[in-house]
Amino acid sequence: MTTTFIGVRHHSPACARLVATTIERLRPAHVLIEGPADINDRLDELLLGHHLPIAVFSSYRDADRVHSSWAPLCDYSPEWVALTAGRAHGAQVRFIDLPAWHPALADRSNRYGDAERRYAEAIERLCVEFAVDNVDALWDHCFESTPEAETTGPGGLDDRLAAYFDLLRGECEAGEHDAAREAYMAGWITAAVADAGDRPVVVVTGGFHRPALMRLVRQRAGAAAASTTPASAVGAPAGEPWPPIPALPAGALGGSFLVPFSFRRLDAFDGYQSGMPSPEYYQRLWDGGPERAATGLLGAVVSRLRRHQQTVSTADLIAARATAAGLARLRGHPHPLRVDVLDGLVSALVNESMDVRLPWSTRGQ
């Protein structure tokens, strides 16, 4: 029996595609997903066929603390694909992380903030190596342009994701709060392995947690297994109990609830910690691949400018497309990616000097 650990970037079409192909190939007994375990008894509600994006909103209030946070899900979120593909292929699907109102997540306004500050140095080195401005451009360059045929196999997306997240996490220990979360998630994985018998288990979590979870599960199983792929064979004692769901303390009010969400709220440009910038672009990338996503982004920007009475001629549009295509070739992209298109538009449409950096050349708002 094998347990396949898939480390993901939240809201990444490339990771979502890897999750889907892995579940289809393995047909696992269990699919375990980083997410608030207190809604496991309401997964049927979550999977009713909503218009995405949606989010799990968690709140908490007692005499000493008030907390709220969101766990958004869109069509291309690896967590959403794990839920839907797991159900479609007959797996038991469960969220395995502490509830978002738990003290271990008390310092976060969104559920999927995976402690980037701890691997900022590694990100900075990689950005210099690949000559990109920030982690978003780095991610697209390394992963979102991967052809679907190269998702799995030697040197494929799964191998490169594992190498990337192993580099970012390294041997560093998590802080007290992330350590508590990882210990809790490891308990769910160990129980699922025991329950699955000789059938596979798939675990989908933020890439920062993947190396630690693999170590913890091996330690709990009492046996390590070497592997040359991101899948790692581990065993588990028979009859391992499922971890309990934490209950709200006496006198506290709160819980987790399903709410509508939007691309605007998901957008990293609006301050969402783990969001991808320009989320509608990534929806287009998920729906139709990088070539159609680039064409759609170009058309959307030009249409919006024209609605705001900004002059964009056909010649400007041709120049923007040609520049984006040239930048893509220069940067080693099979098709123009998000930054290629945006840089091409600026080159074609902005004639005067700018005294601020372009929004997509930095991280955050």
Side-chain angles (χ1 to χ4, degrees):
M1 194 283 301
T2 59
T3 301
T4 298
F5 293 83
I6 306 177
V8 302
R9 184 181 185 186
H10 308 296
H11 321 304
S12 160
C15 291
R17 189 168 67 244
L18 174 61
V19 168
T21 57
T22 301
I23 290 173
E24 182 178 8
R25 174 171 53 87
L26 296 179
R27 305 296 176 99
H30 295 279
V31 175
L32 307 178
I33 306 155
E34 180 187 338
D38 58 329
I39 66 164
N40 278 339
D41 60 351
R42 288 159 39 217
L43 289 182
D44 288 341
E45 174 190 350
L46 184 61
L47 294 169
L48 278 175
H50 306 280
H51 179 72
L52 274 61
I54 56 175
V56 176
F57 169 69
S58 296
S59 66
Y60 180 90
R61 179 187 295 272
D62 63 17
D64 302 313
R65 180 169 70 94
V66 176
H67 172 74
S68 60
S69 66
W70 286 261
L73 297 163
C74 50
D75 288 327
Y76 55 84
S77 296
E79 298 83 3
W80 178 257
V81 172
L83 284 170
T84 54
R87 274 286 182 93
H89 291 292
Q92 293 289 321
V93 296
R94 289 182 174 90
F95 285 128
I96 61 170
D97 203 353
L98 292 167
W101 50 258
H102 191 276
L105 292 103
D107 61 343
R108 297 186 181 174
S109 61
N110 70 79
R111 182 65 184 63
Y112 292 141
D114 280 330
E116 276 191 49
R117 62 186 178 274
R118 276 194 285 274
Y119 51 74
E121 183 180 340
I123 290 291
E124 184 176 351
R125 293 201 312 270
L126 288 171
C127 286
V128 171
E129 179 69 24
F130 287 99
V132 295
D133 289 322
N134 57 48
V135 65
D136 299 315
L138 173 69
W139 180 268
D140 287 355
H141 175 80
C142 292
F143 303 113
E144 295 299 342
S145 61
T146 302
E148 189 165 354
E150 297 177 14
T151 299
T152 59
L157 178 64
D158 49 356
D159 278 354
R160 290 186 289 112
L161 281 170
Y164 176 80
F165 289 121
D166 286 349
L167 172 65
L168 298 193
R169 180 66 182 259
E171 297 298 322
C172 76
E173 294 295 329
E176 177 184 355
H177 290 171
D178 275 330
R181 294 175 59 201
E182 289 168 354
Y184 185 70
M185 288 192 278
W188 281 96
I189 299 167
T190 303
V193 169
D195 184 74
D198 59 356
R199 295 186 62 193
V201 173
V202 171
V203 181
V204 178
T205 66
F208 178 80
H209 303 296
R210 176 187 172 275
L213 290 174
M214 293 174 66
R215 290 194 296 266
L216 283 169
V217 172
R218 284 188 175 122
Q219 290 167 5
R220 291 181 180 217
S227 175
T228 58
T229 72
S232 300
V234 295
E240 185 76 16
W242 297 102
I245 307 295
L248 289 166
L253 297 175
S256 296
F257 312 91
L258 190 62
V259 299
F261 215 66
S262 67
F263 281 148
R264 181 174 293 277
R265 296 195 66 191
L266 184 65
D267 196 338
F269 288 154
D270 281 345
Y272 178 71
Q273 183 181 1
S274 289
M276 305 281 269
S278 315
E280 187 177 334
Y281 165 80
Y282 293 99
Q283 181 70 53
R284 296 175 185 270
L285 185 64
W286 172 250
D287 289 337
E291 187 171 10
R292 288 180 60 186
T295 301
L297 174 60
L298 191 69
V301 171
V302 169
S303 296
R304 180 167 296 182
L305 287 170
R306 288 173 173 171
R307 285 199 303 271
H308 285 275
Q309 309 304 312
Q310 299 296 312
T311 301
V312 182
S313 68
T314 301
D316 290 332
L317 184 56
I318 292 171
R321 284 182 171 171
T323 303
L327 287 170
R329 288 194 295 271
L330 182 66
R331 294 166 175 170
H333 304 154
H335 303 285
L337 297 177
R338 183 183 68 99
V339 172
D340 301 326
V341 174
L342 295 175
D343 285 346
L345 283 162
V346 168
S347 176
L349 301 179
V350 179
N351 299 316
E352 54 279 329
S353 62
M354 301 179 67
D355 58 2
V356 295
R357 295 188 66 179
L358 295 169
W360 50 91
S361 67
T362 59
R363 175 64 172 158
Q365 291 178 286

